[in-house]
């Protein structure tokens, strides 16, 4: 069974500061993909960053980067220079290479404080 | 690229009526489309997976006769909530993946359904 756990239901960060959102997962698959999606108040799901499990190098997208620890099955998201527009719900997601179903975490509600 | 639209964005209907929600991939061919349901402040719950030209695969606990899914073309999937009841009120989100990149899903903006 595949599970994704986000242990931080809510977080806040001062504007321009850095924040890290945690995500752990459990799988017996050897190859898979990991994602962070952002869901702002508009409810539109937006892809933030994608990581392929066979790549050791951590993915980065501008102010967003991940710390992927495959052995620990950990996939945290770091947001640098937080902006007010980063306020949203963030979901960690996993998909095995052998399937097409996404497994989502329960989400972390991030608030950026001006 | 990779834009998915949903129509309508919100709908209010009377109990007992049926509502159809459309999900379209605008600039790519979606071999697989997914339908999710999301309750307030909760995660997305996968309802069903549909592949173009074949029957949808429903998740456990989802009534296939109540939530009819049709994926008639590579750019369109529809979800019909039949004989809607107030407990069906929710936010419904579709997503699509292409044959070229089956690992990434692109999400529609969602449809808020309110059943009176």
């Amino acid at each position: 069974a595949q599970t994704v756990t986000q242990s931080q239901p809510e977080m806040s960060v001062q504007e321009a500061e850095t924040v890290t959102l945690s995500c752990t997962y459990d799988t017996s698959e050897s190859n898979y993909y990991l994602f962070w999606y952002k869901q702002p108040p508009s409810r539109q799901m937006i892809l933030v960053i994608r990581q392929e499990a066979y790549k050791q190098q951590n993915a980065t997208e501008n102010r967003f980067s991940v710390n992927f620890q495959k052995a620990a099955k950990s996939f945290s998201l770091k947001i640098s220079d937080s902006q007010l527009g980063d306020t949203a719900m963030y979901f960690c997601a996993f998909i095995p290479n052998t399937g097409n179903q996404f497994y989502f975490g329960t989400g972390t509600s991030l608030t950026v404080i001006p | 690229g990779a834009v998915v639209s949903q129509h309508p964005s919100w709908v209010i209907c009377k109990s007992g009526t049926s509502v159809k929600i459309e999900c379209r991939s605008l600039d790519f061919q979606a071999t697989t489309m997914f339908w999710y349901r999301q309750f307030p402040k909760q995660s997305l719950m996968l309802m069903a997976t549909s592949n173009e030209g074949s029957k949808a695969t429903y998740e456990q606990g989802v009534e296939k006769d109540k939530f009819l899914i049709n994926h008639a073309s590579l750019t369109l999937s529809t979800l019909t909530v039949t004989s809607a009841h107030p407990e069906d009120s929710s936010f419904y989100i579709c997503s699509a993946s292409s044959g070229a990149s089956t690992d990434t899903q692109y999400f529609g903006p969602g449809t808020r359904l309110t059943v009176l």
Side-chain angles (χ1 to χ4, degrees):
Chain A
Q2 339 277 0
T3 59
V4 179
T5 302
Q6 293 179 250
S7 59
Q8 305 153 314
E10 295 182 356
M11 293 191 72
S12 61
V13 62
Q14 288 289 143
E15 193 176 5
E17 296 294 309
T18 296
V19 64
T20 299
L21 280 56
S22 301
C23 173
T24 59
Y25 58 94
D26 191 20
T27 182
S28 57
E29 301 277 344
S30 58
N31 199 16
Y32 45 87
Y33 300 87
L34 293 159
F35 303 82
W36 279 98
Y37 279 91
K38 166 185 176 181
Q39 188 180 41
S42 67
R43 307 289 295 269
Q44 169 76 61
M45 294 283 283
I46 301 167
L47 176 63
V48 175
I49 202 163
R50 173 181 177 271
Q51 174 81 43
E52 297 163 4
Y54 63 86
K55 288 187 176 180
Q56 291 186 335
Q57 186 174 5
N58 289 323
T60 62
E61 282 290 339
N62 301 314
R63 299 182 294 108
F64 300 88
S65 62
V66 298
N67 182 3
F68 175 45
Q69 301 290 329
K70 190 172 184 179
K73 296 180 180 175
S74 170
F75 183 62
S76 60
L77 174 70
K78 186 172 82 171
I79 305 174
S80 304
D81 185 25
S82 298
Q83 300 176 359
L84 296 179
D86 296 334
T87 292
M89 195 76 167
Y90 287 80
F91 292 99
C92 178
F94 160 98
I95 184 170
N97 194 40
T98 54
N100 62 1
Q101 180 180 341
F102 262 42
Y103 296 88
F104 284 95
T106 51
T108 296
S109 177
L110 176 68
T111 301
V112 180
I113 303 167
Chain B
V3 178
V4 176
S5 70
Q6 272 183 252
H7 178 79
S9 56
W10 60 270
V11 57
I12 302 173
C13 69
K14 292 182 179 180
S15 186
T17 61
S18 295
V19 174
K20 180 185 285 187
I21 303 170
E22 293 185 349
C23 177
R24 294 181 185 273
S25 57
L26 299 184
D27 51 1
F28 68 101
Q29 292 187 326
T31 51
T32 306
M33 285 185 167
F34 305 84
W35 286 96
Y36 295 86
R37 185 172 179 175
Q38 187 181 31
F39 291 104
K41 298 188 178 182
Q42 294 190 22
S43 188
L44 282 69
M45 182 189 77
L46 180 65
M47 298 175 65
T49 302
S50 73
N51 292 295
E52 185 265 339
S54 61
K55 289 184 178 180
T57 302
Y58 290 82
E59 295 300 302
Q60 194 171 11
V62 178
E63 298 176 58
K64 61 182 179 181
D65 294 331
K66 180 168 187 61
F67 298 100
L68 301 178
I69 292 172
N70 183 282
H71 192 166
S73 77
L74 285 172
T75 59
L76 173 64
S77 175
T78 60
L79 167 68
T80 301
V81 182
T82 63
S83 186
H85 287 99
E87 57 264 31
D88 299 324
S89 298
S90 190
F91 193 68
Y92 293 87
I93 304 176
C94 74
S95 70
S97 63
S98 70
S101 181
T102 56
D103 57 278
T104 301
Q105 292 185 20
Y106 302 95
F107 288 82
T111 297
R112 176 169 299 287
L113 170 63
T114 301
V115 184
L116 301 177

